[in-house]
Amino acid sequence: MKKLSVIALVGVGLLAASCNKDKSAGTASTATEQTVAESKGEVLPVDVATSVVNWKAFHKGGMAPRWGTLSVKSGDLSVEGGQLSAGNFVIDMNSIKVDPASVTEKDKKPADLEAHLKNPDFFDTAKNPTSDFKITSVTDLKDTPKDAVAGANKTVSGNLTLSGKTINVTFPAKVDVTDNSAAVQAKFTVNRADWGIKFGTSETDPAEWMISKDIEIAVDVKAKK
């Protein structure tokens, strides 16, 4: 069980932008939970069929990455004066998928890793079936980090709730607004231990030492009339 747990932890996380072995997203700045932006102007429902959250996690040093997806269950984006002003989306944690291409060991199966990520060792989806993100502010991006998502033009802050704990995160994002739609794309890295997802973070256990605390998250949320 211990061996399976350590292997499974490589898949812990919500989220990522690419399939290479190097971390490709900058670390999001974090703060305590903030006041959520008021929904005003035109409120567009999130298109759950085309919206997705990707995740990626690693052994330390970027080795043996696991990656996959999570489905967006619901949400909306608010547009006022041609600008994104507020929004939120809910993630279905029971939808977590491990991409088979990331499981190279012959004795491991993606379905087994998915089941373990859902149990109390990790996200305990029976107790916490959803996670969510609620925008607290959207401002113009002044300086674009080299590891930001392509086309980033805004700085987005929002309350990210994982495993029942809420922390405010800030990251560069590409925000597109048209007459009939709005979209947010972003990629960033978080420390899973900040949300109390601490399995495998003990530096005293040689096996657990090999598991990185970093999780890459890639958000692609679309809303339309």
Side-chain angles (χ1 to χ4, degrees):
M1 179 64 179
K2 180 68 170 179
K3 183 178 179 181
L4 176 60
S5 297
V6 172
I7 294 296
L9 184 59
V10 183
V12 151
L14 292 176
L15 350 159
S18 67
C19 298
N20 59 38
K21 292 183 179 181
D22 299 323
K23 190 172 74 170
S24 59
T27 300
S29 61
T30 59
T32 57
E33 184 176 359
Q34 305 292 311
T35 301
V36 175
E38 180 183 355
S39 293
K40 53 186 178 180
E42 188 168 20
V43 180
L44 306 177
V46 165
D47 183 356
V48 298
T50 59
S51 297
V52 67
V53 173
N54 295 283
W55 60 265
K56 187 178 184 181
F58 319 78
H59 280 92
K60 284 191 174 177
M63 300 301 292
R66 297 280 197 262
W67 60 85
T69 60
L70 286 153
S71 298
V72 176
K73 186 177 182 179
S74 62
D76 57 63
L77 297 178
S78 296
V79 176
E80 184 178 36
Q83 300 291 323
L84 179 70
S85 59
N88 70 89
F89 57 89
V90 177
I91 303 166
D92 179 3
M93 295 305 296
N94 280 302
S95 72
I96 192 165
K97 295 295 182 183
V98 176
D99 190 323
S102 72
V103 184
T104 57
E105 302 89 343
K106 293 182 179 180
D107 60 336
K108 304 302 174 187
K109 297 180 180 180
D112 293 337
L113 299 180
E114 291 164 4
H116 201 192
L117 291 173
K118 295 176 184 179
N119 79 19
D121 282 347
F122 303 108
F123 295 110
D124 195 1
T125 59
K127 183 178 180 180
N128 301 296
T130 62
S131 296
D132 61 62
F133 181 79
K134 299 178 180 179
I135 292 175
T136 55
S137 68
V138 181
T139 59
D140 290 336
L141 181 63
K142 296 180 180 180
D143 299 305
T144 304
K146 64 179 181 180
D147 46 18
V149 67
N153 58 356
K154 299 290 183 180
T155 296
V156 174
S157 295
N159 295 331
L160 176 62
T161 300
L162 298 173
S163 296
K165 183 174 181 179
T166 303
I167 296 176
N168 191 264
V169 297
T170 298
F171 49 83
K174 179 184 179 183
V175 176
D176 291 314
V177 176
T178 70
D179 290 340
N180 300 309
S181 67
V184 178
Q185 292 180 303
K187 62 176 182 177
F188 54 91
T189 299
V190 296
N191 183 332
R192 59 184 168 84
D194 291 344
W195 280 264
I197 306 171
K198 295 184 177 181
F199 184 91
T201 58
S202 172
E203 301 297 337
T204 62
D205 186 328
E208 294 184 346
W209 179 87
M210 296 180 66
I211 307 302
S212 175
K213 299 175 187 177
D214 287 339
I215 302 170
E216 284 190 12
I217 298 173
V219 174
D220 187 356
V221 174
K222 299 179 176 66
K224 60 183 180 180
K225 291 183 179 179

